[in-house]
Amino acid sequence: MRLATLKRGGRDGTLVAVSADGARVAEVPGWPTLQMALDDWEAALPALRGAAIAAETGQGVAATDFAAPLPRAWQWLDGSAFPTHGELMQQAFNLPPIETDRPLMYQGLSHRFIPPTDDVPLPSEADGIDFEGEFGIVTGDVPMGCTAEAALAHIRLIVMINDWSLRAIAPVEMKTGFGWVRAKPACSVAPFAVTPEQLGDAWRNGRVHLPLTVEVNGQWFGSPVGDAMEFGFHELIAHAAHSRSLPAGTIIGSGTVSNAGHADVGSTCISERRAIEMIEHGALRTPFLSFGDRVAMRAGSGASPFGELDQRVASGIG
């Protein structure tokens, strides 16, 4: 199934199932929001499947007013599960390695996720505006102490995320040891959240085996593949649930999708490209984003199962 949320019906929107071609949607009787369905997933499944059939068989209607699948969530946890990304940053900027055998993860802003085609308001170009292409998962309720083996059964949906970052602020906040606040504004999420079985063979070992393609102002920026995670999503869930339960609707991100063959596949964030430039040329060549720049993301080699992100960076002041 592919599920989405329309910008109608209140702050949490209106839950719909989406046809395979993305052309039609059908509301889910008895389950007005995605969070309500996640809270009681097994009970909601018959209605979700019925709505999916309705959308697929021509009983649905056209819609383009998509919010993020979860316009707000109980929790957003972002990992950094692609080792190539960290290694490039350390080499380029002479950063000390992070000595740990555990996944890297921080807890970020979750009360708002930006719709997939809305402008992205940010306070200043001087903050070093960057994008980060990621895959993510949405959980059901996860008990404290859940193992990685058991965690796969708690993954309800898979999503595609643009984790906006402000690079001029991030190093200052990292030095405090208290994590990010100002450097991490709201994320954007592609319109469609898909169940694992919807991805078929592209969902294996707790990883999305699809390229994530980024374009900036219509120019290709990168298409690395999501299977290169050092820790799969099931392992990220187990890490997060070590000492706490996770509520249904928890979103966990993969971190910047990054591959070792970056010369061929490119990158999904400007900061990584700048790191490569420092290593290869000894100087930074690619600027961060300016107001008016457009960033688009999609997954796969054909129609993106998550739909597309296509957004303009805008001034959030005045």
Side-chain angles (χ1 to χ4, degrees):
M1 289 181 294
R2 293 205 295 178
L3 303 177
T5 293
L6 302 181
K7 295 178 183 177
R8 58 184 84 157
R11 294 179 68 178
D12 295 307
T14 298
L15 173 63
V16 292
V18 185
S19 63
D21 60 6
R24 296 173 307 282
V25 304
E27 293 189 23
V28 184
W31 303 91
T33 71
L34 180 54
Q35 183 62 53
M36 289 183 66
L38 290 164
D39 284 339
D40 201 356
W41 188 252
E42 293 301 322
L45 273 177
L48 292 170
R49 290 170 177 151
I53 292 171
E56 202 61 56
T57 57
Q59 301 172 56
V61 298
T64 57
D65 57 333
F66 293 108
L70 280 171
R72 53 181 177 168
W74 287 110
Q75 188 164 220
W76 156 239
L77 302 171
D78 196 16
S80 182
F82 290 87
T84 297
H85 179 70
E87 291 163 2
L88 286 169
M89 302 301 287
Q90 290 163 15
Q91 182 181 351
F93 303 112
N94 197 30
L95 301 174
I98 299 174
E99 301 292 349
T100 182
D101 58 357
R102 298 174 182 175
L104 302 177
M105 184 176 288
Y106 75 93
Q107 187 162 350
L109 182 160
S110 64
H111 70 269
R112 181 187 182 224
F113 291 92
I114 303 171
T117 59
D118 279 18
D119 286 354
V120 178
L122 294 168
S124 173
E125 293 174 339
D127 289 339
I129 301 168
D130 198 359
F131 49 84
E132 294 189 53
E134 306 190 13
F135 293 113
I137 54 93
V138 183
T139 73
D141 286 306
V142 180
M144 182 174 68
C146 180
T147 66
E149 292 74 20
L152 283 172
H154 296 290
I155 296 174
R156 299 288 183 251
L157 299 164
I158 305 165
V159 294
M160 186 179 72
I161 300 165
N162 185 348
D163 175 32
W164 296 97
S165 297
L166 303 178
R167 300 300 189 184
I169 299 174
V172 178
E173 291 194 313
M174 289 175 70
K175 288 178 182 178
T176 68
F178 275 79
W180 288 307
V181 176
R182 296 174 66 178
K184 288 291 185 177
C187 299
S188 302
V189 186
F192 308 141
V194 306
T195 52
E197 63 268 18
Q198 183 75 28
L199 291 184
D201 193 49
W203 174 252
R204 305 193 305 275
N205 303 318
R207 295 163 172 84
V208 179
H209 294 246
L210 291 172
L212 196 163
T213 295
V214 179
E215 293 181 353
V216 179
N217 295 324
Q219 299 297 311
W220 179 84
F221 199 91
S223 300
V225 182
D227 62 354
M229 296 169 70
E230 180 178 9
F231 299 97
F233 281 110
H234 54 309
E235 294 165 307
L236 296 182
I237 291 172
H239 174 76
H242 174 76
S243 57
R244 63 170 99 174
S245 62
L246 307 180
T250 294
I251 305 173
I252 299 180
S254 65
T256 306
V257 178
S258 179
N259 292 172
H262 50 77
D264 296 317
V265 300
S267 301
T268 62
C269 76
I270 294 173
S271 187
E272 181 173 298
R273 176 178 279 190
R274 285 161 65 94
I276 295 166
E277 291 168 348
M278 280 294 295
I279 294 167
E280 296 182 350
H281 309 292
L284 303 173
R285 298 181 175 182
T286 302
F288 290 117
L289 297 175
S290 299
F291 296 144
D293 285 342
R294 298 194 71 90
V295 179
M297 297 184 183
R298 63 182 184 276
S301 55
S304 172
F306 309 102
E308 297 189 7
L309 286 162
D310 188 357
Q311 298 177 293
R312 184 178 67 92
V313 180
S315 172
I317 304 298

